[in-house]
Amino acid sequence: MDDNKNPFVDSDSKVEQAEQEQDSVENSEIEQQEENNELEEKYEELNNKYIRLAADFDNFRKRTQQEKEEISTYTKIEVIKKLTTVLDTFDRAQEHLKDIDNCDTVKESYEVAYKQLLDILKKMGLSEIEALGADFNPNEHEAITQVPTDEYEADKVAMVAQKGYKLDDKVVRPALVGVAKEKEE
């Protein structure tokens, strides 16, 4: 009875199956295309966010740099304003010194200007680094020589060639010192 089998029925089911496979492939391609479109949209969105973020960061960097420069300029102006009072004192002293033969007046004028300058710098946070007789500290002292002495213990500062200064706790300039060593007999 297989001979009575209709050859067209079998081929119709094959055609139908092929059409279903074709539809499935087309649906898969459409889904793939939709997925690609979604990924491209997400990529564009993320790329735009990245570009905006990079631009914002660049603007922030420029603004910060400008603010630093403004603060630096403002600080310099404030320091100079305070120091001009010392210049005024020197100017007044110079005027008084024209007709003076007495050295005591010169000394007094000098001391007034020096004290005024020190007071301004102290108010701004400047302090002298204690050196003479202190333990040698490489963070605050710069050794320029060794001093043989009995007056100070070894590794103590026995001589100050130049004062050192700190602004608050930060060393502005280390003290140039001579470090004591035992005197050779």
Side-chain angles (χ1 to χ4, degrees):
M1 291 226 168
D2 284 335
D3 291 336
N4 291 345
K5 194 174 184 187
N6 186 349
F8 295 110
V9 171
D10 217 14
S11 81
D12 282 343
S13 69
K14 287 183 181 178
V15 168
E16 203 175 285
Q17 186 179 3
E19 285 176 356
Q20 286 177 351
E21 287 177 6
Q22 181 68 27
D23 287 344
S24 174
V25 168
E26 286 176 4
N27 286 340
S28 175
E29 287 176 357
I30 290 171
E31 288 174 5
Q32 184 68 36
Q33 185 63 37
E34 288 174 357
E35 190 176 319
N36 285 346
N37 289 343
E38 285 180 31
L39 288 174
E40 283 181 20
E41 287 175 11
K42 286 181 181 178
Y43 168 79
E44 286 297 320
E45 181 183 334
L46 289 173
N47 193 40
N48 288 337
K49 284 182 180 179
Y50 168 75
I51 289 170
R52 282 192 299 275
L53 182 63
D56 287 346
F57 180 74
D58 191 47
N59 290 338
F60 171 77
R61 185 185 52 77
K62 289 176 183 175
R63 192 171 47 251
T64 302
Q65 182 64 32
Q66 183 180 1
E67 287 173 358
K68 283 181 182 178
E69 289 171 5
E70 288 173 1
I71 289 171
S72 176
T73 300
Y74 177 77
T75 303
K76 288 176 187 176
I77 288 170
E78 289 302 307
V79 169
I80 289 171
K81 275 183 186 179
K82 291 176 179 173
L83 292 178
T84 55
T85 59
V86 178
L87 286 176
D88 293 340
T89 302
F90 276 114
D91 289 339
R92 283 191 296 276
Q94 227 171 2
E95 285 296 318
H96 288 106
L97 294 176
K98 287 181 182 177
D99 301 326
I100 295 180
D101 295 330
N102 185 350
C103 286
D104 289 337
T105 306
V106 174
K107 287 179 185 178
E108 287 175 23
S109 297
Y110 168 80
E111 288 174 13
V112 167
Y114 183 75
K115 184 181 179 321
Q116 190 176 25
L117 177 60
L118 277 179
D119 288 344
I120 288 170
L121 293 173
K122 282 180 183 177
K123 286 179 185 174
M124 295 175 71
L126 190 74
S127 62
E128 184 179 328
I129 294 173
E130 295 298 321
L132 193 60
D135 288 333
F136 176 74
N137 178 350
N139 296 321
E140 295 180 346
H141 307 128
E142 185 176 329
I144 57 173
T145 188
Q146 287 188 325
V147 179
T149 182
D150 292 331
E151 192 175 338
Y152 296 97
E153 295 175 24
D155 296 327
K156 297 271 186 183
V157 175
M159 174 197 83
V160 178
Q162 184 180 57
K163 291 179 181 179
Y165 296 97
K166 289 194 271 186
L167 181 62
D168 298 321
D169 289 330
K170 184 174 170 89
V171 174
V172 175
R173 181 179 81 186
L176 299 180
V177 299
V179 180
K181 72 174 186 174
E182 289 184 24
K183 203 173 199 178
E184 295 176 11
E185 304 268 338

